Amino acid sequence: MLAAACSKEKAAPAVVATGRAPATATGTTFPQPGAGNPGEWTTAGRDYAGTRYSPLDQITTANVANLKVAWTFSTGVLNGHEGQPLVVGNTMYVTTPWPNITYALDLADAHAPAKWALAPPTVSAAKGEACCDVVNRGSAYGDGKIVWNMLDGNTIAADAKTGKQLWKTKLADIDKGETITMAPLIVKNKVFVGVSGAEMGVRGWIAALDLGDGHVVWKAYNTGSDKDVLIGSDFKPFYAFMRGTDLGIKSWPPDQWKIGGATVWGWITYDPETNLIFYGTGNPGAWNPDLRPGDNLWSMTIFARNPETGAAKWAYQMTPHDMWDYDGVNESIVADIDIDGKPRKVLLHAERNGFAYVIDRTNGQVINAEPYVFTNWATGIDLQSGRPKYVPDKMTRQGVIIRNICPSSTGGKDQQPTSWSPRTKLWYIPATNDCMDYEGTAVSYIAGTPYLGADVRMYAGPGGNRGELVAWDPAQGKKVWGVKENFPLWSGTLVTAGDVLFYGTMDGWVKAVDARNGNPLWSFKTGSGVIGNPISYIGPDGKQYIAIYTGVGGWMGAIASANLSPDDPTAALGATGAAPDLKRYTAPGGMLFVFGL
Amino acid sequence: MRALVIAGCAVALAAACQRDEGRELPHGMPQGIAVAPVSDTAGGVLPGIHSQVAYGALHNPYTGNVQAERDGRQLFLSYNCVGCHGGRAGGGMGPSLRDSAWIYGNSDADLFATITEGRPNGMPTWGGKIPEDQIWKLISYIRTLRTSGEPDPPPPATQPNR
């Protein structure tokens, strides 16, 4: 297996990372996630590319109807369970929402007892700085270590075998509204971590830590001077509107960039071939756009950076001067696909703003960008300029209620990740079909408190179904089929070599459909809504399993997990209006479910 | 102890007179506002520890004052309460204030203590940042929620025609 992986097999039409990383100076080698053992799941998106495609094929469209609960585990936490567990060898690693405990469960024992559990000391005050529930999106494995982020702003590394804490690095300051919720990505000897808090007036950044001892190797801000953003002579944005000096200052009113958001709370991916990491930045602060005339760079932007130095190679701002809170943090899957008969190296990025972008990952050029949900704030993306074609009637401003904007702030899709199958050549998007009324309001910057400046109310979009599983053909830029869901789809998707697609719903169903056509194949009702991401692995018994967290919460599910008042549709930044009935369908409760044949 | 608190209130009220509550605050925390010296003799200012000692007998001087309720709504926006507790106080990052559940009690003194001292699960310590008369106006607004007198009630949950 390893020998085969070492050969230079060119990733066929697909994406699954192959080969091994070069040895470092110390002689240690760092296997690429997903390249070694197909039965493992060692990083959030399974592989560097973030495909969430499992090469396992024991579970098929023909036998998935027989899937049953194999075992379960209660995390004891009642907040929203985004993210996913990891499987390394015979151990499953589970990281909980705050207080961010990591458990190592022994898969070789039918009871799945904990080999170890590590609950680093933390402070409950951190909970008051998290905009959208106290979620955690998972851990990462590298060089014998499990690494995860704490809501209170620390990154922790523990020995994967013993649970001994090896290092702890404080990166974020909750007194300024900074928290960390994202899953780190480990590439070679570096750990990439980004900050949350664009709703609190923070200044967004991404940092690279040394996997060995946790020291900060580089840190790049997403607003401010070129020096702070790590923009240098290598930086070549494809579109003209992003060329210039210190645009991270000049595209803002004076000093507004210092509290301008542009955080990094989504997923990071990596392409060994171009040696670039890819991540997206969040909304500009405040939500009231009248407070920040200008494009507000580098908010709402996909960055491609050199992992060793942090130097930016290219950037692409999807929504200049955001007026709707369409954060650009969603994952960018690394894929090689044929477009118009030519092989292209692309990123697949389903943006909150409703457009599914297919982008040339070597230079940041948009190849196609089409709406994957009902979208009316822009009529399209101009492929010459790279800018959206804004609809004037849907531009928000202070003191005016702009009605019926689609999608809502929660987006055509929020952070819940998509998956890509090199077999079906389809990209599976867990979508939300909501619209909103939005009014910019006055707001004060008070450190450590929400810096919003908007009164928002969301509701179901056209058709009334608030969610849809969308199967998308990225080569054509169009939808192939969809499965409508009552509630917004707030779980990620998993697609397997058995052509089975797994996902969960906020009313508590875990579902399997045929990845080729969406035909329903299997479902199971859990006790709490699903906002986690399914994974697949091979157990010590040689059998394929599916694992997923349940536990409603997150931005959309807070009405159920935090018992919000459904008579206030503006609660939870307007999300309550979109799911006032959720409490009737589900209640809080964090569990891991594992299914097998 | 109470003498200290009341003396502090007087200072705070005097300072508050210089402020126009409806005005948008400048960037940064308002400066120069005095507050009740809940200090060493009370054992420190850790959230939620000393409320019964310091605040047990306080009552809202604005009870029933409609203008104070309206002012309180504006303050609820100005101090970003809306970001955590929801556009019409239905909750979000922080708990709903519209329901009947009160984690830390709902007497005037309890609410005053919660706002002034903060609470351990995320409520900031607003003592020293919000003048005490404004805290009472915020409490006046909270008392109107789900009543016919609620200023700026929630928008109807209807959807636009398409």
Side-chain angles (χ1 to χ4, degrees):
Chain A
M1 192 61 222
L2 284 173
C6 284
S7 70
K8 271 232 159 38
E9 55 186 12
K10 267 289 185 211
V15 250
V16 179
T18 55
R20 288 179 78 94
T24 63
T26 59
T28 313
T29 56
F30 299 96
Q32 294 188 4
N37 185 344
E40 293 188 325
W41 194 289
T42 62
T43 195
R46 185 174 184 281
D47 41 43
Y48 280 154
T51 60
R52 295 181 186 266
Y53 167 78
S54 168
L56 304 179
D57 60 3
Q58 292 180 19
I59 297 171
T60 67
T61 54
N63 65 21
V64 67
N66 300 322
L67 211 57
K68 291 180 176 57
V69 174
W71 56 282
T72 62
F73 173 78
S74 170
T75 67
V77 178
L78 298 180
N79 293 94
H81 284 57
E82 294 180 354
Q84 60 291 306
L86 300 182
V87 173
V88 183
N90 288 346
T91 307
M92 178 180 289
Y93 297 92
V94 169
T95 300
T96 73
W98 188 92
N100 306 129
I101 302 164
T102 292
Y103 296 90
L105 305 179
D106 186 357
L107 299 176
D109 183 322
H111 300 284
K115 294 177 174 174
W116 55 263
L118 182 58
T122 183
V123 290
S124 56
K127 293 193 284 181
E129 305 298 329
C131 80
C132 309
D133 200 359
V134 297
V135 297
N136 180 282
R137 301 193 183 86
S139 58
Y141 173 82
D143 196 28
K145 303 178 182 72
I146 294 289
V147 181
W148 71 99
N149 294 315
M150 305 280 295
L151 190 71
D152 65 17
N154 288 285
T155 300
I156 305 285
D159 184 304
K161 284 202 168 60
T162 65
K164 178 175 186 277
Q165 186 173 306
L166 300 174
W167 51 260
K168 168 177 167 175
T169 301
K170 181 171 164 55
L171 291 170
D173 179 1
I174 62 169
D175 287 339
K176 291 196 295 191
E178 293 182 329
T179 52
I180 308 182
T181 58
M182 54 88 77
L185 176 74
I186 297 175
V187 175
K188 301 176 197 173
N189 63 341
K190 292 196 178 57
V191 183
F192 302 100
V193 177
V195 71
S196 302
E199 276 60 55
M200 315 294 284
V202 312
R203 181 186 177 201
W205 50 257
I206 181 174
L209 312 185
D210 183 275
L211 179 59
D213 63 11
H215 80 269
V216 176
V217 180
W218 57 260
K219 183 176 182 180
Y221 287 94
N222 297 320
T223 70
S225 68
D226 286 354
K227 182 165 171 282
D228 285 2
V229 183
L230 302 187
I231 284 177
S233 55
D234 292 343
F235 183 62
K236 293 182 175 57
F238 189 84
Y239 297 103
F241 78 94
M242 291 172 291
R243 296 179 200 143
T245 306
D246 292 335
L247 296 182
I249 293 174
K250 291 174 183 170
S251 61
W252 297 85
D255 292 337
Q256 185 71 23
W257 56 271
K258 294 177 181 170
I259 51 172
T263 47
V264 184
W265 55 273
W267 314 92
I268 307 173
T269 53
Y270 172 65
D271 174 27
E273 198 176 343
T274 55
N275 192 34
L276 293 170
I277 59 166
F278 306 99
Y279 70 93
T281 68
N283 61 282
W287 281 21
N288 176 351
D290 287 358
L291 297 178
R292 43 177 174 78
D295 279 354
N296 310 138
L297 292 161
W298 302 91
S299 67
M300 320 299 280
T301 299
I302 297 174
F303 266 112
R305 292 186 186 274
N306 178 305
E308 278 86 32
T309 65
K313 172 82 183 304
W314 58 260
Y316 175 58
Q317 188 186 37
M318 294 164 284
T319 314
H321 187 61
D322 168 58
M323 293 169 260
W324 310 272
D325 183 41
Y326 290 151
D327 288 50
V329 300
N330 289 351
E331 74 287 355
S332 294
I333 294 178
V334 175
D336 293 345
I337 64 176
D338 287 338
I339 299 179
D340 297 332
K342 279 191 282 193
R344 300 294 299 264
K345 299 179 193 309
V346 304
L347 298 178
L348 306 176
H349 182 102
E351 175 64 342
R352 280 255 285 272
N353 70 13
F355 289 89
Y357 292 80
V358 177
I359 296 172
D360 185 329
R361 70 174 175 270
T362 66
N363 63 6
Q365 178 184 14
V366 178
I367 297 169
N368 66 57
E370 297 294 332
Y372 63 95
V373 292
F374 180 72
T375 297
N376 66 11
W377 67 275
T379 56
I381 308 299
D382 180 346
L383 297 185
Q384 295 302 309
S385 68
R387 294 176 73 92
K389 300 172 193 167
Y390 297 94
V391 173
D393 285 353
K394 302 300 182 189
M395 293 178 159
T396 71
R397 56 190 185 274
Q398 183 167 330
V400 180
I401 303 173
I402 306 295
R403 299 193 188 276
N404 195 24
I405 304 166
C406 314
S408 71
S409 296
T410 49
K413 181 187 91 70
D414 198 79
Q415 57 75 34
Q416 51 279 26
T418 58
S419 58
W420 158 254
S421 169
R423 287 174 52 86
T424 62
K425 307 273 193 288
L426 293 176
W427 178 26
Y428 302 99
I429 307 174
T432 293
N433 173 40
D434 283 340
C435 302
M436 66 176 169
D437 297 351
Y438 191 114
E439 178 188 6
T441 58
V443 64
S444 328
Y445 174 75
I446 303 173
T449 72
Y451 184 53
L452 280 168
D455 193 29
V456 179
R457 178 175 78 90
M458 305 179 195
Y459 37 83
N465 60 297
R466 289 163 286 185
E468 183 173 14
L469 172 69
V470 175
W472 189 263
D473 177 354
Q476 301 287 323
K478 66 182 185 194
K479 179 170 151 182
V480 179
W481 50 261
V483 178
K484 288 180 166 50
E485 291 288 349
N486 182 19
F487 286 102
L489 261 196
W490 217 256
S491 88
T493 63
L494 161 72
V495 63
T496 70
D499 290 335
V500 185
L501 183 76
F502 293 90
Y503 66 101
T505 66
M506 290 223 303
D507 49 356
W509 291 94
V510 181
K511 297 188 177 184
V513 301
D514 189 320
R516 296 165 295 193
N517 51 34
N519 286 342
L521 299 173
W522 170 86
S523 62
F524 179 86
K525 181 75 162 71
T526 70
S528 185
V530 183
I531 61 168
N533 311 319
I535 70 161
S536 190
Y537 69 94
I538 296 281
D541 58 1
K543 293 181 178 166
Q544 181 184 357
Y545 293 92
I546 306 294
I548 189 168
Y549 296 145
T550 70
V552 76
W555 185 5
M556 189 57 81
I559 184 167
S561 63
N563 198 25
L564 308 186
S565 296
D567 66 339
D568 177 7
T570 65
L573 318 184
T576 298
D581 51 341
L582 186 60
K583 277 197 267 192
R584 287 175 47 222
Y585 289 83
T586 191
M591 295 275 289
L592 166 79
F593 275 78
V594 179
F595 302 95
L597 290 171
Chain B
M1 188 59 228
R2 261 194 66 205
L4 278 176
V5 171
I6 290 166
C9 284
V11 175
L13 283 168
C17 289
Q18 297 156 19
R19 301 190 62 80
D20 172 2
E21 294 92 347
R23 193 178 58 205
E24 186 187 342
L25 293 165
H27 279 196
M29 189 59 78
Q31 298 296 312
I33 297 169
V35 74
V38 180
S39 62
D40 298 349
T41 51
V45 292
L46 285 176
I49 291 177
H50 308 294
S51 57
Q52 295 312 312
V53 177
Y55 303 104
L58 296 180
H59 294 287
N60 188 351
Y62 293 112
T63 300
N65 182 326
V66 174
Q67 186 58 46
E69 293 164 355
R70 289 187 193 138
D71 291 349
R73 169 64 187 167
Q74 286 306 311
L75 293 166
F76 195 76
L77 300 171
S78 298
Y79 283 112
N80 300 344
C81 311
V82 67
C84 287
H85 291 290
R88 305 300 179 285
M93 294 171 59
S96 172
L97 309 177
R98 300 186 71 79
D99 58 20
S100 55
W102 294 93
I103 301 167
Y104 304 108
N106 77 332
S107 72
D108 283 356
D110 292 333
L111 294 177
F112 190 90
T114 293
I115 297 170
T116 303
E117 294 204 16
R119 296 296 185 186
N121 287 302
M123 177 73 178
T125 300
W126 288 98
K129 295 160 186 162
I130 304 181
E132 295 191 11
D133 73 312
Q134 293 185 352
I135 292 177
W136 287 124
K137 288 176 178 177
L138 283 164
I139 293 169
S140 291
Y141 164 63
I142 291 165
R143 297 293 189 204
T144 70
L145 298 171
R146 269 195 177 151
T147 71
S148 58
E150 178 177 352
D152 198 7
T158 54
Q159 301 182 10
N161 295 320
R162 290 191 182 81

